[in-house]
Amino acid sequence: MSNIFNFKRFTSYLRHDLIGAWQNAGASMISIACMPVWFFVIYEMFCLVFDGHFGYVSHGAGVAAYVLSFLLATVFFPVQIYGRVTDKRPGSNWLLLPASAFEKFLSMLLVLCVVLPLAWLAAITACDLLLSLTGTYDGPVIASIFDGLDTALAEFRTENATLAIASHSAIYLSWCADILFFALGAIFFRKNKIVYTFLSAMGIGILITLIGGIIAASGNFELNIEPEDLSEDSLMRTLNLILYALYVVEFALLDLGIYFRIKTLKH
């Protein structure tokens, strides 16, 4: 058992992993988390140049800054932190670190799915709150984003059933799924990691669509649902089961892919 997981060895490696994450991606994390500030500065500069006075940054611009920052973080952080493990020299040094494959896998999950989202959220929220004090920024945006998602998800609610996922958990699960997918690409591909990962995502999407189309066109797939079964409550429960199944399958495949890639990585 100690060859798989040892708490003292794991904490030592996790500390090393966190230090490496800060050294490799700390500056990028701060820059990406400051996306509302960049939007604000660029917009105000254009207003000063063309109108001669400061303008008012709309709520939509703040939301766009959050979305862009979220996407950039989940795409670039895995490559910056773990992309070099496929290079010969740094990868060999990483393989020689005194930690098991499971400990390295667990550390990667904690860094990407716990530490990074907390650090990113704290930094971008701080920028959002500070900008809201300027008087020319329609913020804070973070609260309205969650309120808007809660309002949208509230539509999926019946008298006896409700959607099993809330706005906070939906955003967090989306972060984890995206960043783990790009982490798998970062440790799997040796070159052009982001490009190949994007192409892989497109290929998987096309393959799933083709398989679904073939099954539907074959006529051998029947739901056998009676009209009396199509109540709002039953549909909501079915939707929740589908969501649970999709998340379980998705994260199981991503986690297993990352673990076995770490376990079999050689130079």
Side-chain angles (χ1 to χ4, degrees):
M1 182 65 181
S2 61
N3 293 330
I4 299 175
F5 183 82
N6 179 276
F7 183 76
K8 184 177 180 180
R9 185 178 60 201
F10 170 71
T11 54
S12 177
Y13 174 78
L14 178 61
R15 188 183 306 110
H16 175 274
D17 209 9
L18 290 172
I19 294 173
W22 173 254
Q23 292 174 342
N24 295 325
S28 298
M29 191 275 290
I30 295 174
S31 179
I32 290 175
C34 288
M35 193 62 64
V37 176
W38 309 138
F39 269 58
F40 178 82
V41 171
I42 294 173
Y43 179 80
E44 296 296 3
M45 287 177 61
F46 272 96
C47 288
L48 285 175
V49 171
F50 294 104
D51 298 332
H53 58 80
F54 290 110
Y56 189 79
V57 181
S58 66
H59 177 79
V63 174
Y66 264 84
V67 173
L68 180 59
S69 179
F70 182 96
L71 294 176
L72 291 177
T74 54
V75 169
F76 287 101
F77 285 166
V79 176
Q80 288 186 312
I81 298 173
Y82 297 106
R84 290 185 292 180
V85 302
T86 57
D87 297 335
K88 188 172 183 180
R89 185 171 181 179
S92 298
N93 293 334
W94 183 77
L95 290 175
L96 293 175
L97 290 173
S100 66
F102 177 76
E103 289 165 345
K104 292 177 180 178
F105 161 74
L106 184 58
S107 176
M108 184 181 292
L109 289 186
L110 290 176
V111 170
L112 295 178
C113 297
V114 179
V115 177
L116 272 179
L118 288 176
W120 172 82
L121 183 62
I124 197 170
T125 302
C127 293
D128 188 31
L129 293 175
L130 289 174
L131 288 176
S132 64
L133 300 177
T134 62
T136 58
Y137 178 81
D138 189 9
V141 176
I142 182 68
S144 62
I145 291 177
F146 287 126
D147 290 340
L149 286 174
D150 284 333
T151 302
L153 294 176
E155 298 296 326
F156 296 91
R157 180 177 298 173
T158 64
E159 183 178 352
N160 300 315
T162 184
L163 197 64
I165 188 171
S167 60
H168 299 74
S169 55
I171 293 175
Y172 177 68
L173 289 172
S174 177
W175 169 287
C176 293
D178 293 345
I179 206 166
L180 289 178
F181 185 78
F182 279 93
L184 179 58
I187 63 176
F188 184 82
F189 299 112
R190 296 187 179 275
K191 295 181 180 180
N192 302 318
K193 299 173 184 292
I194 294 177
V195 174
Y196 287 153
T197 305
F198 265 118
L199 293 176
S200 299
M202 293 175 60
I204 293 171
I206 293 172
L207 181 62
I208 293 175
T209 303
L210 288 175
I211 293 174
I214 292 172
I215 294 175
S218 66
N220 296 325
F221 181 72
E222 298 181 2
L223 293 176
N224 294 323
I225 298 177
E226 300 297 332
E228 58 271 15
D229 296 330
L230 297 176
S231 66
E232 291 184 349
D233 292 342
S234 62
L235 287 175
M236 186 59 62
R237 286 190 289 268
T238 302
L239 179 59
N240 285 332
L241 288 175
I242 293 174
L243 283 175
Y244 283 130
L246 289 176
Y247 277 125
V248 168
V249 172
E250 182 178 19
F251 283 110
L253 292 175
L254 288 173
D255 290 343
L256 288 173
I258 292 173
Y259 173 74
F260 284 108
R261 176 56 176 166
I262 293 174
K263 191 175 180 63
T264 58
L265 186 63
K266 295 179 180 180
H267 292 283

